[in-house]
Structures are given as structure tokens and as C-alpha cells.
Amino acid sequence: MSPRVGLDTRTLVLAAAELADEQGMGEVTLASLAAKLGVRSPSLYNHVNGLAGLRTLLAVHGLEQLHTAMTKASAGITGDAAVHAMGQAYVNFARQHPGLYETTLQAPDQGNTALEEAGEQILSFILHVLSGYGLGEEGELHAVRGLRSILHGFAALENKGGFGLPLDLGISLSRLIDTFIAGISCMKTV
């Protein structure tokens, strides 16, 4: 069967990302994607290697989009301001793309170079932003883990409606990032 004219891998990934954001990752199936695109499910196999392949492509796309959001937000700034911009961009990405964000959380299977490279790109960027804090190589990696945990926890709680009090979420996030910065500022290596 030849590929349908106008249907390509990028079109499939973008449509699947829309489905994920609108209905959740659990609803992204080859059948639901085919229905969204007005094609039959078998025609998708010309572009993706089954549902697992589609989800990997979505994860790579999600990581690339997250990286772009964080780098744009912190372009031209350094230090505390860059950490704030990057952190707020991370949470905003999760707000705007809850389904796609979910795909960014999976650890890549060994040998999945596209997913490994997309994850490494984000890690390298965050390490670059944190490099001015004098944490040393190992300290920077611990700081990345901490920052990711903080930002993911905040985003996950918000996306699930876990913040019911009538307080400004932007202020809460800003204070949380300030607390992280204060913590790593005390951990400089000698």
C-alpha cells in the first residue's frame, strides 16, 4: 500500500500531540489517530512503527518542544533569572501541553538514540544554566534532579487540580524556584 498523499510522519506526530493534549495519552491509539486524520489505521504503518513507535516519536517531539520553550524563555539571561525563566517555561509547557508533556517523562530504552539525544539536549542546557553556581559536575547533576523533581511535582499537582486554595500559582512557583536557588547557592564546591 502506498502512503497517502499529504500524510507524513510529522503530520501524524502533530495530530497525535493534539489528541494527547485534548484527551490524554491513554486515548492516543492508532485507531483514534486514524479517525482524527480521516484515514484507515493500516495506512499509519507507512509512517510509524506501531503504537510504540508513535509514542517514541511523540516523546522526542515533546522533548524538543520543551527544550525550545526553555531556551527561548532564558535566552540572553543568566544566573537566578535564567533558572526562573527556564523553570516557568517548563511548568507553562506542562500547562499548555499536558498530554505531550506526559510523553517527556519516559526514560529511553537503551539504544533509542533519538530519545536519548533529545533528553541529553535538555540535560546539557540545564547544566549550562546551572554551571555558574559552582556546584561541580556531580553537584550539578544532583541539582538537575532536584529541579526536575520540583518542576514536575508542581506541574503534576497543578494539572491534576491539586492546588485548590485561591493563591496566585505564579507567586507559588516563583517562591519555590527561589527556595531551590537558595538551596543550591549554599552547596558550592570549594
Side-chain angles (χ1 to χ4, degrees), residues 68-82:
T68 297
M70 292 189 319
T71 56
K72 277 184 177 180
S74 57
I77 54 177
T78 59
D80 296 357

Side-chain angles (χ1 to χ4, degrees), residues 18-169:
E18 283 180 19
L19 272 175
D21 288 340
E22 293 166 0
Q23 301 176 17
M25 269 307 295
E27 299 301 316
V28 177
T29 64
L30 293 178
S32 65
L33 181 59
K36 180 174 180 66
L37 295 168
V39 298
R40 294 178 350 146
S41 294
S43 64
L44 301 180
Y45 286 93
N46 291 314
H47 307 284
V48 296
N49 186 15
L51 184 58
L54 175 62
R55 291 190 178 200
T56 296
L57 291 171
L58 270 173
V60 170
H61 175 68
L63 288 168
E64 289 170 347
Q65 295 301 305
L66 178 58
H67 177 263
T68 297
M70 292 189 319
T71 56
K72 277 184 177 180
S74 57
I77 54 177
T78 59
D80 296 357
V83 175
H84 269 278
M86 178 180 61
Q88 290 172 3
Y90 183 103
V91 171
N92 285 337
F93 179 82
R95 285 175 182 148
Q96 295 166 1
H97 304 285
L100 189 57
Y101 170 70
E102 186 181 333
T103 69
T104 68
L105 302 174
Q106 75 179 42
D109 295 328
Q110 190 160 359
N112 187 331
T113 55
L115 198 50
E116 288 173 354
E117 288 171 7
E120 181 62 35
Q121 189 176 29
I122 288 179
L123 175 62
S124 295
F125 173 70
I126 297 171
L127 288 171
H128 172 73
V129 170
L130 295 176
S131 66
Y133 289 92
L135 302 173
E137 186 176 337
E138 186 175 313
E140 287 174 358
L141 291 172
H142 287 299
V144 168
R145 284 181 174 172
L147 182 60
R148 181 180 182 212
S149 297
I150 288 166
L151 297 175
H152 170 67
F154 191 94
L157 285 168
E158 183 180 354
N159 280 346
K160 295 294 183 184
F163 295 129
L165 297 176
L167 292 171
D168 186 316
L169 290 174

